[in-house]
Amino acid sequence: MLDSVGYPSVDALMDAAVPAGIRVDRSLVSSIPDAATEAEALRELRMLAGRNTVRRSMIGLGYYGTLTPAVIKRNVLENPSWYTAYTPYQPEISQGRLEALINFQTMVADLTGLATANASMLDEATAVVEGMLLARRASKSKSPRFVVDADVFPQTLALLRHRAEAVGIEIVEAALAGGAAVDGEYFGLFVQYPGASGRLWNPAVTIAAAKEAGAVAVVAADLLALTLVTSPGELGADVAVGTSQRFGVPMGFGGPHAGYMAVRAGLERQLPGRLVGVSQDAAGQPAYRLSLQAREQHIRREKATSNICTAQVLLAVMAGMYAVYHGPGGLTHIARTVHDRAFAAAKSLRSAGVEVVEGDFFDTFLVRVPDADVVLERARERGTLLRRVDDTTVGVSFDEVTAGEVSLGAVSLLEIFAPDVDVIENVSAYGELPADLVRTSRFLTHPVFNTHHSETSMMRYLRYLASLDYALDRGMIPLGSCTMKLNAAAEMEAVTWPEFAGLHPFAPAEDVRGYLDLIGQLEGWLAEVTGYDSVSLQPNAGSQGELAGLLAIRGYHRSRGDFERVVCLIPSSAHGTNAASAVLAGMKVVVVACDSLGNVDLDDLRAKIEEHAATLAALMITYPSTHGVYEHEVQAITDAVHEAGGQVYVDGANLNALLGYARFGDFGGDVSHLNLHKTFCIPHGGGGPGVGPVAAKAHLAPFLPGHPFSQRGGAEFAGGPVSAAPFGSPSILPISWAYVRMMGADGLRDATGAAVLAANYIAARLADHFPVLYKGDDGLVAHECILDLRPLTAATGVSVDDVAKRLIDYGFHAPTMSFPVPGTLMVEPTESEDLAEIDRFVDAMIAIKAEADRVGSGEWDVDDNPLRGAPHTAQAIAVADWPHAYSREDAVYPFAGASVDPATTTARIRGKYWPPVRRIDQAYGDRNLVCACPPPEAFA
């Protein structure tokens, strides 16, 4: 590989690629321990896990014990076919995960009684914020006021207040359940259903009044409760939001979990995030794909409706499969059991003289006590965690786990609340629900929710869906900008350990010491490798990390009285989420031009800085650049911003091209977000989960995300929260901890060198076939290269789409298409791929170029050739009358004629990946929007 790029060693290559002025001082002593073996790292993780104490959680507040069916745990959560998959931007090879997501969407739409649900949100609290922003867009009211139910989850209220302030929204609390009237105009209304107190009431009249006033009604609803109580849609809600956590996804100290959002008819084009829809392929067969706002941030930038460009796919798949496995009857039975056990417990407590707050409830009720702290400690001694509401009020929440425990019920609770009362047995009782809230409408009627109720059937269904997809367990996914490296099995192992998976995010600090140690160590390691002073792991996606960093800059300026500093400079090549995040942080986006080499245009930057010097808040840059180039003038760029009083945000999306060689904080960065699902091996899982920690210099640290329930108390940051849980998605942090621990500082550096070498090797080998669009001063790229297909298209008519789809026939997932430059492919091989797999990709691209030349020469018609017909399914060639000028063998076994190595050719033929559908008509699906499970006859 080094011979191909013309360097004697990786060090020599990196010396030429990375600007000398920004290289890290290698004499610095690292705090990262020397690399551990897999066994050693797992032993240390076991020690950390042992410092956690898992007690029976009855805290509630949107986090509940749940039983993950073993068939789902083994075949989804622990299966690389699901957790190593990428976002389904190539839908022809993503039909399995797309079907799983449309199951999830159908489940949510059915339970909420609304027309359309998206493919998941980051968590419940951020979903409520997105509901608020949607309401502002959709409402005809010009009022800045958003009315919030006083019985809202406290973590949601904290997040709402923080996010609303930045965009000029006024939060108005009102005791809606108590019949409080809302005076004045408002654009939206939010109801928690049931409330944080557990109270279950009918908000239909309140919702109707809001809509009459021109407001949009948003309801956060418990999905399990909705199997028994009237749906938000039937109550008149415009939008429903919430979490699917209790559908088989462990609490995990707060995440990751799949939030949800559903909307009434007419609002589907306002939905943030991803939406899976049904279209048709080239043969007219139904096929799934992403609809409408897919990657809208790259299209609309600062006019995007949301900065969220991802989802929680792996968790949404789990929740959807939980509903498939249990079906409507099973879910209703679980809900009924939970409600009955809670009802019986409350009745028993009352019979013993304990004051249970009156009112209807589903699974949660409040108890008045002389001293809440005494009761909580007594409960903790008995292995149970209750919720402290105030000095004299305690909350009790039941769930699937506690409802199924024979030992837990009135007797156990009486030992806690009334230890002096002699009670021998539980009081058995069936719960009562308000007559006007009893659900009568049907849900989950589609056959998929009424078929796979045995483990045999469920296992086969999951295997079938996985067989339709292409993930890293099949081969390389060479996506530029997204870093599809392997998530090693040893790194993944601790995710399902109960000491990490079984903890409530608001458990007391003494129960989560192992987690706090792990989090503290990982924060320290990330601070060191980035050159910053502090790190917050709370953001649960890269977009949220961006937002957190910009809100920190905003808070810093405002603390100094610089309220006028609102301009954010963003290069034209930047990731689309940058601009959307800046707007949501209350900033005004000003675009900076890039030069012909893809670098920031220094003259334009200086002109923009001079023009906006008095109002400059920040510059957002990606380093290496979005074009995959190490910009040599980065220090001059950051100096110019600082001289004008601005702050520098360095987007950490490409950190895997820098780790060990340079640090953001050393060349002028004030704050950055990192993508742990890229550089630090958390799996993409089909498009989520992700973690986007934010790292900052000391002067910005006070403004990093804090949380009202953080177990670190005063040691936590003072900024407002950006996620529902104090540490975002902590149950997957052991993955990144294990990665750093097993790599050590030297291993991290070696990985960077290997990735940069691989990218330059591909660029060198393909240079005679496809121009490489951007290169650095020494003709080198960073960790990714952009292949310019526009000359090929001009000469032959073969488009970038044709090449991407043809790669499927060769057994590959396509590189990133048309970003950041239309008509190009951005390739990133990563350090996970060995030389044989990289050469296989190079051979495929060379063969495809030769095929395109046959089109250009006229040998194949421009509309009838293997590239335009790609991808080819088994069904497509299993016809008696083959209608094409090219052969069946050319269609589906292209390597057979292109390879000179018979052994390799045989392996390629035997390992052939067959796409389940032909090329999908994207426009047809947007014109004919269907975003729920199609009936079985559609596939007949």
Side-chain angles (χ1 to χ4, degrees):
M1 293 173 77
L2 285 164
D3 287 345
S4 295
V5 298
Y7 287 88
S9 66
V10 173
D11 281 342
L13 169 67
M14 296 302 291
D15 284 345
V18 181
I22 67 169
R23 286 182 211 149
V24 70
D25 182 356
R26 296 199 66 185
S27 67
L28 296 174
V29 178
S30 175
S31 66
I32 300 174
D34 291 339
T37 66
E38 291 185 355
E40 289 168 344
L42 287 171
R43 277 198 297 271
E44 290 183 31
L45 274 173
R46 279 291 183 194
M47 293 176 63
L48 290 169
R51 301 201 67 206
N52 294 331
T53 302
V54 181
R55 304 180 200 274
R56 180 188 299 112
S57 174
M58 302 188 79
I59 297 172
L61 291 181
Y63 299 94
Y64 305 94
T66 183
L67 301 174
T68 308
V71 65
I72 295 176
K73 176 184 174 184
R74 175 63 60 89
N75 293 289
V76 177
L77 181 58
E78 299 177 340
N79 184 348
S81 292
W82 290 96
Y83 69 70
T84 69
Y86 179 58
T87 303
Y89 292 139
Q90 293 291 335
E92 293 86 357
I93 55 177
S94 308
Q95 290 296 293
R97 78 200 76 144
L98 285 166
E99 179 168 325
L101 286 175
I102 213 160
N103 289 347
F104 174 85
Q105 291 179 182
T106 303
M107 172 193 80
V108 170
D110 276 12
L111 288 171
T112 60
L114 290 164
T116 306
N118 69 7
S120 73
M121 303 295 288
L122 300 177
D123 60 30
E124 175 165 338
T126 55
V128 174
V129 170
E130 293 294 329
M132 173 181 71
L133 297 175
L134 187 156
R136 185 168 66 166
R137 295 193 300 272
S139 174
K140 296 179 181 178
S141 171
K142 301 301 182 183
S143 169
R145 302 168 77 228
F146 186 65
V147 177
V148 176
D149 186 356
D151 204 11
V152 63
F153 290 154
Q155 70 272 20
T156 298
L157 181 60
L159 189 59
L160 275 171
R161 289 193 178 284
H162 184 48
R163 293 289 304 276
E165 190 273 336
V167 291
I169 293 175
E170 178 187 349
I171 299 296
V172 179
E173 279 190 77
L176 300 177
V182 182
D183 298 324
E185 192 176 354
Y186 53 101
F187 72 82
L189 175 95
F190 171 68
V191 175
Q192 189 86 46
Y193 176 71
S197 67
R199 183 171 182 175
L200 187 63
W201 63 288
N202 190 333
V205 173
T206 301
I207 289 172
K211 296 174 75 170
E212 181 68 22
V216 173
V218 182
V219 174
D222 185 302
L223 288 181
L224 190 62
L226 293 182
T227 65
L228 301 180
V229 302
T230 307
S231 70
E234 293 169 293
L235 296 173
D238 299 296
V239 182
V241 293
T243 177
S244 61
Q245 179 269 315
R246 67 190 312 173
F247 277 28
V249 182
M251 288 185 289
F253 198 37
H257 307 132
Y260 75 81
M261 177 178 284
V263 296
R264 63 164 170 79
L267 290 179
E268 55 276 339
R269 295 177 189 272
Q270 296 279 2
L271 270 170
R274 292 178 181 148
L275 179 65
V276 177
V278 183
S279 187
Q280 63 182 23
D281 72 358
Q285 296 297 311
Y288 304 113
R289 28 72 81 185
L290 293 179
S291 301
L292 299 181
Q293 294 105 315
R295 304 189 82 179
E296 68 158 351
Q297 291 80 15
H298 294 316
I299 301 167
R300 304 188 68 216
R301 302 178 73 80
E302 70 271 15
K303 293 183 175 61
T305 58
S306 167
N307 74 327
I308 293 175
C309 68
T310 185
Q312 296 280 27
V313 171
L314 189 65
L315 300 316
V317 170
M318 290 180 66
M321 291 306 170
Y322 181 91
V324 169
Y325 189 53
H326 286 294
L331 293 178
T332 302
H333 173 73
I334 293 169
R336 172 58 63 188
T337 303
V338 169
H339 180 54
D340 287 349
R341 181 55 63 90
F343 186 83
K347 186 173 180 179
S348 294
L349 290 174
R350 285 195 185 101
S351 69
V354 177
E355 183 185 355
V356 177
V357 175
E358 294 294 333
D360 295 308
F361 61 85
F362 166 60
D363 61 2
T364 299
F365 55 85
L366 301 183
V367 182
R368 304 284 189 206
V369 296
D371 189 326
D373 291 330
V374 170
V375 173
L376 263 63
E377 181 56 30
R378 191 184 300 135
R380 195 169 165 278
E381 291 171 355
R382 288 162 174 76
T384 301
L385 298 176
L386 302 175
R387 176 191 169 205
R388 187 187 195 280
V389 180
D390 57 38
D391 291 346
T392 58
T393 311
V394 173
V396 181
S397 291
F398 279 79
D399 55 39
E400 183 185 9
V401 174
T402 52
E405 291 183 358
V406 176
S407 63
L408 179 69
V411 173
S412 296
L413 288 176
L414 281 167
E415 290 176 355
I416 294 168
F417 287 101
D420 299 328
V421 175
D422 186 15
V423 176
I424 299 175
E425 58 183 283
N426 290 330
V427 174
S428 178
Y430 293 103
E432 299 174 359
L433 293 169
D436 61 339
L437 284 180
V438 174
R439 181 161 191 155
T440 58
S441 58
R442 299 177 68 201
F443 55 90
L444 304 186
T445 58
H446 190 277
V448 76
F449 299 106
N450 295 277
T451 302
H452 307 292
H453 301 328
S454 71
E455 180 165 331
T456 307
S457 180
M458 190 69 191
M459 173 185 67
R460 288 172 180 164
Y461 180 53
L462 291 170
R463 176 65 178 83
Y464 160 71
L465 292 182
S467 72
L468 304 181
D469 280 9
Y470 189 103
L472 276 177
D473 61 336
R474 288 189 186 272
M476 178 167 65
I477 304 179
L479 286 152
S481 183
C482 280
T483 313
M484 291 296 296
K485 64 169 71 177
L486 183 66
N487 326 110
E491 296 158 11
M492 300 288 293
E493 189 147 335
V495 168
T496 54
W497 293 353
E499 297 90 345
F500 290 127
L503 290 170
H504 192 286
F506 309 146
E510 55 267 32
D511 285 1
V512 297
R513 298 195 187 282
Y515 249 129
L516 296 180
D517 287 347
L518 182 149
I519 288 168
Q521 290 174 20
L522 185 57
E523 286 173 340
W525 296 342
L526 294 177
E528 176 183 316
V529 299
T530 56
Y532 288 117
D533 301 303
S534 298
V535 173
S536 167
L537 291 167
Q538 188 184 120
N540 53 10
S543 59
Q544 302 306 91
E546 285 181 11
L547 180 61
L550 291 170
L551 287 171
I553 290 174
R554 182 177 189 271
Y556 169 75
H557 285 311
R558 292 169 74 85
S559 73
R560 295 158 54 89
D562 292 335
F563 292 90
E564 74 285 355
R565 289 194 175 273
V566 296
V567 169
C568 184
L569 303 179
I570 300 180
S572 59
S573 65
H575 289 89
T577 54
N578 285 179
S581 294
V583 171
L584 291 177
M587 295 183 181
K588 176 186 175 183
V589 173
V590 173
V591 177
V592 177
C594 290
D595 63 22
S596 60
L597 297 177
N599 301 316
V600 173
D601 186 321
L602 282 176
D603 290 337
D604 188 56
L605 174 66
R606 291 190 175 103
K608 296 288 172 57
I609 290 175
E610 183 177 355
E611 179 183 356
H612 300 284
T615 58
L616 179 61
L619 165 74
M620 294 186 81
I621 57 170
T622 300
Y623 198 85
S625 74
T626 310
H627 290 131
V629 176
Y630 296 101
E631 297 189 45
H632 283 250
E633 298 298 327
V634 64
Q635 189 74 62
I637 291 170
T638 61
D639 287 347
V641 174
H642 287 146
E643 288 169 7
Q647 297 288 289
V648 176
Y649 182 106
V650 183
D651 186 311
N654 294 338
L655 178 60
N656 53 305
L658 216 60
L659 211 57
Y661 286 90
R663 310 191 306 175
F664 297 145
D666 292 347
F667 56 76
D670 296 294
V671 63
S672 296
H673 89 273
L674 319 176
N675 295 97
L676 297 194
H677 47 288
K678 292 185 179 183
T679 306
F680 296 95
C681 283
I682 287 176
H684 282 65
V691 177
V694 57
K697 288 291 193 179
H699 65 284
L700 292 183
F703 308 98
L704 293 181
H707 198 283
F709 295 147
S710 174
Q711 287 82 356
R712 295 200 289 209
E716 190 57 284
F717 305 111
V722 295
S723 300
F727 302 101
S729 295
S731 73
I732 53 176
L733 294 179
I735 300 170
S736 295
W737 183 96
Y739 175 71
V740 177
R741 185 67 188 87
M742 290 189 288
M743 295 291 278
D746 290 341
L748 295 175
R749 177 183 169 89
D750 291 345
T752 301
V756 173
L757 172 60
N760 280 281
Y761 175 76
I762 287 177
R765 283 209 57 197
L766 290 178
D768 292 338
H769 307 276
F770 303 95
V772 176
L773 192 54
Y774 297 111
K775 295 181 180 181
D777 291 348
D778 294 292
L780 297 171
V781 297
H783 61 307
E784 57 195 6
C785 60
I786 298 177
L787 304 179
D788 192 354
L789 270 62
R790 292 172 298 182
L792 179 74
T793 301
T796 68
V798 172
S799 70
V800 66
D801 293 88
D802 295 335
V803 174
K805 304 310 178 188
R806 185 57 170 159
L807 275 167
I808 297 172
D809 290 330
Y810 280 84
F812 279 100
H813 193 297
T816 300
M817 287 173 48
S818 295
F819 176 80
V821 181
T824 66
L825 292 176
M826 177 179 268
V827 184
E828 181 177 352
T830 85
E831 75 276 11
S832 296
E833 302 300 340
D834 60 24
L835 181 57
E837 184 70 356
I838 293 173
D839 279 339
R840 189 171 77 90
F841 172 76
V842 170
D843 290 345
M845 289 297 295
I846 293 173
I848 287 172
K849 172 60 164 58
E851 290 178 339
D853 288 341
R854 294 172 73 177
V855 176
S857 70
E859 180 181 348
W860 282 333
D861 185 83
V862 70
D863 293 317
D864 184 25
N865 59 74
L867 297 101
R868 188 62 51 86
H872 297 86
T873 63
Q875 184 181 18
I877 65 162
V879 292
D881 183 18
W882 178 250
H884 303 292
Y886 56 95
S887 70
R888 289 180 174 87
E889 185 179 45
D890 282 335
V892 297
Y893 290 117
F895 264 133
S899 175
V900 296
D901 184 344
T904 302
T905 300
T906 300
R908 288 165 177 165
I909 292 174
R910 288 178 177 173
K912 167 73 177 175
Y913 168 72
W914 292 95
V917 297
R918 296 185 64 190
R919 194 177 307 195
I920 295 173
D921 186 338
Q922 298 281 7
Y924 178 90
D926 282 346
R927 290 194 306 268
N928 305 276
L929 194 64
V930 176
C931 298
C933 294
E937 56 266 25
F939 297 92

